[in-house]
Amino acid sequence: MELVIILAIGIVVGSIITRIVTKPLDFGTLRIDTSDPDGPFMFLELSKDVDVVASKKYIILKVNLKSYISQK
């Protein structure tokens, strides 16, 4: 039973540390609009300046998969 508690605490602490470390690498959102019949379109919404993003080797983007045009 103690091993399960230690494992749970380790998972929680590891998740918190991972969140703290990867937060500075979060540079924006990749929005995927699937409502157009021509196919899905992707839009890049940056939260920082383009020069800052271009100087990085790796970045992290949040993915937003949503239909923005209503289908009638």
Side-chain angles (χ1 to χ4, degrees):
M1 186 64 176
E2 294 174 359
L3 186 60
V4 173
I5 294 172
I6 292 172
L7 180 66
I9 292 172
I11 290 172
V12 169
V13 170
S15 298
I16 292 170
I17 291 172
T18 301
R19 186 78 156 152
I20 291 170
V21 169
T22 61
K23 187 63 178 168
L25 300 175
D26 183 13
F27 281 91
T29 304
L30 178 65
R31 184 168 52 98
I32 302 173
D33 187 357
T34 59
S35 61
D36 197 337
D38 291 336
F41 288 97
M42 294 190 293
F43 302 94
L44 180 60
E45 299 172 349
L46 297 175
S47 59
K48 299 187 181 176
D49 192 30
V50 175
D51 295 333
V52 175
V53 175
S55 68
K56 301 293 180 183
K57 193 170 189 175
Y58 299 101
I59 63 169
I60 295 176
L61 298 173
K62 297 175 188 168
V63 177
N64 183 3
L65 180 62
K66 185 177 176 184
S67 296
Y68 287 92
I69 302 173
S70 62
Q71 300 290 327
K72 291 186 180 182

XYZ file of all heavy atoms in Angstrom:
560
model
N 0.819 -1.199 0.000
C 0.000 0.000 0.000
C 0.863 1.263 0.000
O 0.511 2.246 -0.628
C -0.930 -0.045 1.218
C -1.927 1.061 1.239
S -3.017 0.903 -0.178
C -4.123 2.195 0.133
N 1.962 1.200 0.758
C 2.861 2.355 0.790
C 3.468 2.625 -0.579
O 3.682 3.774 -0.954
C 3.976 2.125 1.820
C 3.487 2.072 3.241
C 4.605 1.685 4.198
O 5.741 1.448 3.737
O 4.341 1.635 5.396
N 3.729 1.551 -1.315
C 4.311 1.701 -2.643
C 3.359 2.438 -3.593
O 3.789 3.271 -4.394
C 4.668 0.327 -3.215
C 5.425 0.312 -4.533
C 6.759 1.038 -4.390
C 5.642 -1.105 -5.007
N 2.077 2.185 -3.478
C 1.081 2.849 -4.315
C 1.023 4.340 -3.982
O 0.942 5.183 -4.882
C -0.302 2.182 -4.137
C -1.375 2.968 -4.856
C -0.267 0.742 -4.611
N 1.092 4.676 -2.725
C 1.067 6.083 -2.300
C 2.319 6.807 -2.804
O 2.241 7.925 -3.322
C 0.927 6.190 -0.769
C -0.436 5.654 -0.339
C 1.124 7.629 -0.302
C -0.606 5.530 1.157
N 3.468 6.160 -2.671
C 4.713 6.768 -3.148
C 4.663 6.951 -4.664
O 5.086 7.984 -5.191
C 5.920 5.907 -2.725
C 6.085 5.966 -1.205
C 7.192 6.369 -3.422
C 7.119 5.009 -0.652
N 4.130 5.967 -5.381
C 3.995 6.068 -6.828
C 3.074 7.222 -7.218
O 3.382 7.999 -8.118
C 3.469 4.757 -7.404
C 3.267 4.716 -8.915
C 4.597 4.835 -9.633
C 2.556 3.451 -9.321
N 1.955 7.375 -6.529
C 1.011 8.456 -6.819
C 1.646 9.824 -6.559
O 1.488 10.756 -7.355
C -0.257 8.285 -5.998
N 2.374 9.938 -5.457
C 3.049 11.197 -5.139
C 4.113 11.500 -6.197
O 4.256 12.644 -6.651
C 3.666 11.156 -3.723
C 2.542 11.127 -2.681
C 4.608 12.329 -3.487
C 3.030 10.889 -1.266
N 4.837 10.484 -6.652
C 5.842 10.664 -7.688
C 5.242 11.126 -9.003
O 5.805 11.976 -9.695
N 4.088 10.581 -9.353
C 3.421 10.991 -10.591
C 2.966 12.442 -10.506
O 3.128 13.212 -11.455
C 2.242 10.048 -10.900
C 2.770 8.674 -11.315
C 1.343 10.621 -11.982
C 1.707 7.614 -11.462
N 2.419 12.831 -9.374
C 1.951 14.215 -9.198
C 3.130 15.183 -9.242
O 3.082 16.209 -9.944
C 1.155 14.355 -7.882
C 0.904 15.818 -7.550
C -0.146 13.590 -7.959
N 4.199 14.875 -8.528
C 5.369 15.758 -8.513
C 5.998 15.828 -9.910
O 6.377 16.909 -10.382
C 6.389 15.282 -7.454
C 7.711 16.027 -7.587
C 5.824 15.450 -6.064
N 6.094 14.696 -10.603
C 6.640 14.688 -11.954
C 5.803 15.503 -12.917
O 6.337 16.203 -13.787
N 4.487 15.437 -12.787
C 3.604 16.225 -13.642
C 3.789 17.725 -13.406
O 3.808 18.510 -14.350
C 2.143 15.842 -13.397
O 1.925 14.505 -13.725
N 3.919 18.100 -12.162
C 4.108 19.518 -11.829
C 5.445 20.023 -12.366
O 5.522 21.101 -12.963
C 4.005 19.727 -10.302
C 2.569 19.477 -9.842
C 4.469 21.127 -9.910
C 2.399 19.430 -8.347
N 6.501 19.243 -12.206
C 7.815 19.657 -12.700
C 7.814 19.745 -14.226
O 8.357 20.691 -14.807
C 8.906 18.690 -12.197
C 9.086 18.861 -10.683
C 10.229 18.917 -12.922
C 9.993 17.849 -10.046
N 7.179 18.789 -14.895
C 7.095 18.829 -16.354
C 6.356 20.061 -16.828
O 6.746 20.713 -17.797
C 6.398 17.557 -16.881
O 7.145 16.418 -16.454
C 6.291 17.564 -18.384
N 5.282 20.416 -16.156
C 4.499 21.609 -16.511
C 5.328 22.883 -16.354
O 5.282 23.779 -17.187
C 3.254 21.664 -15.620
C 2.320 22.741 -15.967
C 1.538 22.323 -17.161
N 0.281 23.052 -17.162
C -0.359 23.333 -18.237
N 0.080 22.901 -19.385
N -1.461 24.002 -18.186
N 6.116 22.950 -15.276
C 6.952 24.128 -15.027
C 8.054 24.240 -16.077
O 8.353 25.330 -16.569
C 7.549 24.069 -13.599
C 6.438 24.257 -12.564
C 8.645 25.104 -13.420
C 6.876 23.985 -11.143
N 8.654 23.116 -16.456
C 9.761 23.132 -17.409
C 9.279 23.448 -18.828
O 9.928 24.191 -19.564
C 10.519 21.780 -17.378
C 11.488 21.659 -18.530
C 11.242 21.620 -16.055
N 8.129 22.912 -19.235
C 7.670 23.105 -20.611
C 6.876 24.384 -20.821
O 6.649 24.772 -21.967
C 6.817 21.914 -21.074
O 5.671 21.797 -20.228
C 7.613 20.631 -21.091
N 6.456 25.063 -19.787
C 5.673 26.290 -19.926
C 6.396 27.380 -20.714
O 5.793 28.027 -21.561
C 5.244 26.807 -18.548
C 4.299 27.968 -18.593
C 2.997 27.592 -19.247
C 2.051 28.778 -19.235
N 0.902 28.568 -20.082
N 7.697 27.618 -20.506
C 8.375 28.650 -21.312
C 8.468 28.300 -22.794
O 8.704 29.169 -23.622
C 9.776 28.728 -20.696
C 9.646 28.150 -19.350
C 8.551 27.142 -19.424
N 8.288 27.051 -23.164
C 8.362 26.645 -24.561
C 7.030 26.764 -25.284
O 6.953 26.536 -26.476
C 8.864 25.200 -24.659
C 10.242 24.926 -24.081
C 10.542 23.437 -24.145
C 11.297 25.721 -24.809
N 5.972 27.117 -24.561
C 4.642 27.244 -25.146
C 4.559 28.577 -25.888
O 4.588 29.642 -25.282
C 3.592 27.177 -24.037
C 2.181 27.219 -24.558
O 1.999 27.055 -25.767
O 1.259 27.405 -23.745
N 4.451 28.511 -27.230
C 4.520 29.718 -28.035
C 3.229 30.077 -28.748
O 3.203 31.036 -29.495
C 5.635 29.594 -29.077
C 6.989 29.841 -28.505
C 7.738 28.796 -28.007
C 7.513 31.106 -28.448
C 8.991 29.017 -27.467
C 8.761 31.341 -27.915
C 9.502 30.291 -27.416
N 2.167 29.308 -28.582
C 0.922 29.663 -29.252
C 0.014 28.477 -29.474
O 0.125 27.448 -28.822
N -0.882 28.644 -30.455
C -1.915 27.656 -30.736
C -1.917 27.315 -32.216
O -1.810 28.199 -33.063
C -3.299 28.209 -30.342
O -3.268 28.608 -28.969
C -4.388 27.181 -30.542
N -2.054 26.032 -32.511
C -2.286 25.571 -33.869
C -3.778 25.281 -33.967
O -4.279 24.340 -33.378
C -1.475 24.314 -34.174
C -1.677 23.717 -35.563
C -1.178 24.697 -36.624
C -0.975 22.389 -35.686
N -4.496 26.159 -34.681
C -5.954 26.023 -34.793
C -6.278 25.276 -36.069
O -5.855 25.653 -37.159
C -6.607 27.405 -34.807
C -8.108 27.348 -34.834
C -8.730 28.696 -34.556
N -8.234 29.765 -35.379
C -8.846 30.222 -36.480
N -9.963 29.685 -36.890
N -8.329 31.225 -37.152
N -7.014 24.182 -35.948
C -7.404 23.362 -37.095
C -8.903 23.504 -37.282
O -9.686 23.108 -36.429
C -7.018 21.891 -36.890
C -5.510 21.787 -36.649
C -7.426 21.061 -38.099
C -5.044 20.403 -36.280
N -9.297 24.095 -38.416
C -10.711 24.322 -38.724
C -11.165 23.243 -39.704
O -10.712 23.182 -40.839
C -10.884 25.708 -39.338
C -12.333 26.092 -39.545
O -13.218 25.262 -39.255
O -12.583 27.213 -40.007
N -12.069 22.386 -39.257
C -12.538 21.269 -40.078
C -13.902 21.516 -40.697
O -14.486 20.600 -41.261
C -12.616 19.991 -39.227
O -13.501 20.219 -38.136
C -11.257 19.599 -38.703
N -14.407 22.740 -40.641
C -15.764 23.006 -41.106
C -15.854 23.247 -42.611
O -16.927 23.139 -43.187
C -16.348 24.213 -40.365
O -15.569 25.358 -40.624
N -14.757 23.564 -43.279
C -14.781 23.859 -44.708
C -14.812 22.556 -45.513
O -14.024 21.648 -45.253
C -13.547 24.671 -45.082
C -13.689 25.354 -46.431
O -14.487 24.889 -47.256
O -13.009 26.369 -46.643
N -15.709 22.440 -46.502
C -15.763 21.204 -47.291
C -14.530 20.986 -48.175
O -14.304 19.876 -48.643
C -17.019 21.362 -48.139
C -17.390 22.787 -48.074
C -16.777 23.368 -46.848
N -13.725 22.025 -48.408
C -12.503 21.872 -49.202
C -11.413 21.118 -48.445
O -10.407 20.739 -49.021
C -11.966 23.237 -49.631
C -12.860 23.909 -50.655
O -13.592 23.185 -51.351
O -12.818 25.141 -50.753
N -11.597 20.938 -47.186
C -10.610 20.228 -46.379
C -10.288 21.008 -45.123
O -10.683 22.162 -44.981
N -9.569 20.415 -44.209
C -9.207 21.144 -42.989
C -8.138 22.197 -43.275
O -7.246 21.995 -44.098
C -8.676 20.057 -42.067
C -8.276 18.949 -42.955
C -9.141 19.029 -44.174
N -8.266 23.319 -42.604
C -7.286 24.394 -42.718
C -6.636 24.601 -41.360
O -7.291 24.507 -40.320
C -7.943 25.701 -43.171
C -8.357 25.663 -44.618
C -9.660 25.354 -44.967
C -7.441 25.922 -45.613
C -10.050 25.306 -46.293
C -7.812 25.887 -46.940
C -9.124 25.577 -47.281
N -5.326 24.902 -41.379
C -4.588 25.121 -40.145
C -4.156 26.585 -40.070
O -3.709 27.157 -41.066
C -3.366 24.212 -40.068
C -3.727 22.755 -39.969
S -2.342 21.683 -39.586
C -1.366 21.826 -41.057
N -4.289 27.151 -38.876
C -3.890 28.534 -38.624
C -2.955 28.544 -37.429
O -3.209 27.883 -36.423
C -5.107 29.408 -38.322
C -6.127 29.409 -39.429
C -7.192 28.523 -39.402
C -6.014 30.276 -40.492
C -8.134 28.507 -40.415
C -6.950 30.271 -41.517
C -8.010 29.381 -41.473
N -1.886 29.285 -37.535
C -0.913 29.400 -36.461
C -1.136 30.723 -35.749
O -1.031 31.795 -36.351
C 0.508 29.335 -37.022
C 1.638 29.435 -36.021
C 1.567 28.300 -35.019
C 2.971 29.432 -36.738
N -1.459 30.656 -34.474
C -1.672 31.851 -33.655
C -0.557 31.910 -32.624
O -0.523 31.123 -31.686
C -3.035 31.786 -32.973
C -4.183 31.716 -33.955
C -5.517 31.448 -33.288
O -5.547 31.108 -32.093
O -6.537 31.574 -33.991
N 0.378 32.838 -32.815
C 1.532 32.948 -31.937
C 1.256 33.893 -30.784
O 0.624 34.930 -30.962
C 2.753 33.441 -32.721
C 3.249 32.511 -33.829
C 4.371 33.179 -34.603
C 3.704 31.200 -33.246
N 1.750 33.533 -29.610
C 1.604 34.404 -28.448
C 2.851 35.262 -28.234
O 2.842 36.150 -27.392
C 1.334 33.562 -27.195
O 2.389 32.655 -26.973
N 3.909 34.989 -28.992
C 5.145 35.769 -28.895
C 5.531 36.255 -30.287
O 4.975 35.843 -31.287
C 6.250 34.921 -28.284
C 5.888 34.475 -26.879
C 6.999 33.780 -26.187
C 6.482 33.384 -24.802
N 7.415 32.624 -24.058
N 6.514 37.121 -30.348
C 6.960 37.710 -31.601
C 7.556 36.642 -32.525
O 8.139 35.658 -32.065
C 8.003 38.791 -31.305
C 8.307 39.646 -32.506
O 7.404 39.821 -33.345
O 9.446 40.141 -32.605
N 7.425 36.852 -33.819
C 7.907 35.888 -34.811
C 9.423 35.714 -34.709
O 9.937 34.606 -34.874
C 7.504 36.335 -36.238
C 8.095 35.417 -37.281
C 6.002 36.383 -36.365
N 10.159 36.783 -34.429
C 11.616 36.687 -34.305
C 12.021 35.775 -33.149
O 12.997 35.031 -33.257
C 12.229 38.073 -34.104
C 12.029 38.968 -35.321
O 11.914 38.416 -36.437
O 11.970 40.197 -35.144
N 11.276 35.824 -32.070
C 11.560 34.963 -30.921
C 11.310 33.507 -31.292
O 12.113 32.620 -30.973
C 10.699 35.369 -29.707
C 10.898 34.410 -28.554
C 11.014 36.790 -29.278
N 10.211 33.243 -31.985
C 9.875 31.875 -32.385
C 10.898 31.348 -33.394
O 11.327 30.198 -33.323
C 8.445 31.814 -32.966
C 8.128 30.436 -33.495
C 7.432 32.213 -31.904
N 11.318 32.182 -34.333
C 12.269 31.758 -35.360
C 13.640 31.437 -34.781
O 14.392 30.657 -35.363
C 12.383 32.837 -36.425
N 13.971 32.010 -33.643
C 15.281 31.763 -33.044
C 15.329 30.460 -32.251
O 16.407 30.026 -31.866
C 15.673 32.934 -32.137
O 14.821 32.967 -31.001
N 14.198 29.828 -32.025
C 14.141 28.593 -31.248
C 14.274 27.374 -32.145
O 13.861 27.379 -33.295
C 12.817 28.485 -30.476
C 12.568 29.616 -29.519
C 13.570 29.581 -28.395
C 13.309 30.720 -27.427
N 14.270 30.772 -26.362
N 14.857 26.321 -31.606
C 14.985 25.080 -32.345
C 13.718 24.233 -32.198
O 13.293 23.577 -33.144
C 16.199 24.302 -31.832
C 16.608 23.168 -32.701
C 17.940 22.619 -32.255
C 18.450 21.613 -33.260
N 19.783 21.147 -32.926
N 13.102 24.256 -31.031
C 11.871 23.526 -30.754
C 10.891 24.440 -30.038
O 11.298 25.255 -29.208
C 12.123 22.315 -29.841
C 13.063 21.294 -30.419
C 14.391 21.247 -30.020
C 12.615 20.386 -31.356
C 15.252 20.317 -30.545
C 13.476 19.443 -31.889
C 14.786 19.409 -31.476
O 15.637 18.486 -32.002
N 9.618 24.300 -30.354
C 8.567 25.017 -29.633
C 7.418 24.061 -29.366
O 7.325 22.996 -29.976
C 8.052 26.251 -30.406
C 7.404 25.853 -31.730
C 9.158 27.263 -30.619
C 6.661 26.983 -32.399
N 6.537 24.435 -28.461
C 5.353 23.646 -28.138
C 4.127 24.468 -28.498
O 4.031 25.650 -28.152
C 5.337 23.272 -26.647
C 6.514 22.360 -26.334
C 4.021 22.605 -26.272
C 6.644 22.002 -24.871
N 3.190 23.853 -29.219
C 1.945 24.509 -29.597
C 0.771 23.748 -29.004
O 0.771 22.524 -28.974
C 1.788 24.542 -31.123
C 2.828 25.314 -31.915
C 2.621 25.097 -33.392
C 2.752 26.784 -31.579
N -0.222 24.487 -28.556
C -1.490 23.872 -28.164
C -2.290 23.645 -29.436
O -2.233 24.450 -30.368
C -2.265 24.791 -27.225
C -1.564 25.048 -25.917
C -2.328 26.043 -25.095
C -1.532 26.428 -23.880
N -2.088 27.568 -23.194
N -3.041 22.558 -29.508
C -3.850 22.255 -30.686
C -5.305 22.523 -30.350
O -5.827 22.027 -29.350
C -3.657 20.793 -31.138
C -4.557 20.474 -32.302
C -2.211 20.547 -31.504
N -5.961 23.337 -31.193
C -7.368 23.663 -31.026
C -8.106 23.133 -32.248
O -8.020 23.710 -33.325
C -7.542 25.179 -30.889
C -8.968 25.583 -30.651
O -9.845 24.747 -30.530
N -9.199 26.879 -30.584
N -8.809 22.015 -32.103
C -9.553 21.390 -33.190
C -11.014 21.774 -33.030
O -11.702 21.301 -32.140
C -9.388 19.870 -33.146
C -10.095 19.072 -34.216
C -9.585 19.438 -35.591
C -9.906 17.587 -33.966
N -11.468 22.689 -33.902
C -12.819 23.209 -33.759
C -13.352 23.625 -35.124
O -12.608 24.102 -35.974
C -12.806 24.414 -32.815
C -14.147 24.979 -32.499
C -14.018 26.108 -31.494
C -15.347 26.757 -31.234
N -15.235 27.903 -30.354
N -14.643 23.443 -35.329
C -15.295 23.917 -36.548
C -15.827 25.322 -36.284
O -16.632 25.537 -35.399
C -16.444 22.993 -36.927
O -15.963 21.727 -37.242
N -15.364 26.289 -37.074
C -15.749 27.677 -36.852
C -16.900 28.124 -37.732
O -17.542 29.108 -37.435
C -14.533 28.584 -37.068
C -13.540 28.462 -35.947
C -12.486 27.548 -36.024
C -13.659 29.210 -34.801
C -11.583 27.416 -34.990
C -12.760 29.084 -33.754
C -11.735 28.186 -33.872
O -10.838 28.054 -32.836
N -17.153 27.439 -38.835
C -18.271 27.775 -39.717
C -19.386 26.785 -39.436
O -19.191 25.578 -39.503
C -17.862 27.713 -41.202
C -16.694 28.669 -41.468
C -19.033 28.020 -42.096
C -16.130 28.537 -42.874
N -20.559 27.292 -39.135
C -21.669 26.393 -38.834
C -22.154 25.708 -40.110
O -22.226 26.308 -41.176
C -22.827 27.150 -38.181
O -23.317 28.112 -39.073
N -22.485 24.435 -40.011
C -22.993 23.655 -41.137
C -24.508 23.738 -41.159
O -25.166 23.403 -40.198
C -22.560 22.184 -41.019
C -21.059 21.994 -41.011
C -20.444 22.291 -42.357
O -21.050 22.051 -43.383
N -19.232 22.830 -42.342
N -25.091 24.205 -42.274
C -26.547 24.318 -42.378
C -27.066 23.391 -43.436
O -26.461 23.027 -44.358
C -26.953 25.739 -42.687
C -26.700 26.648 -41.515
C -27.246 28.019 -41.804
C -26.974 28.924 -40.619
N -27.510 30.223 -40.798
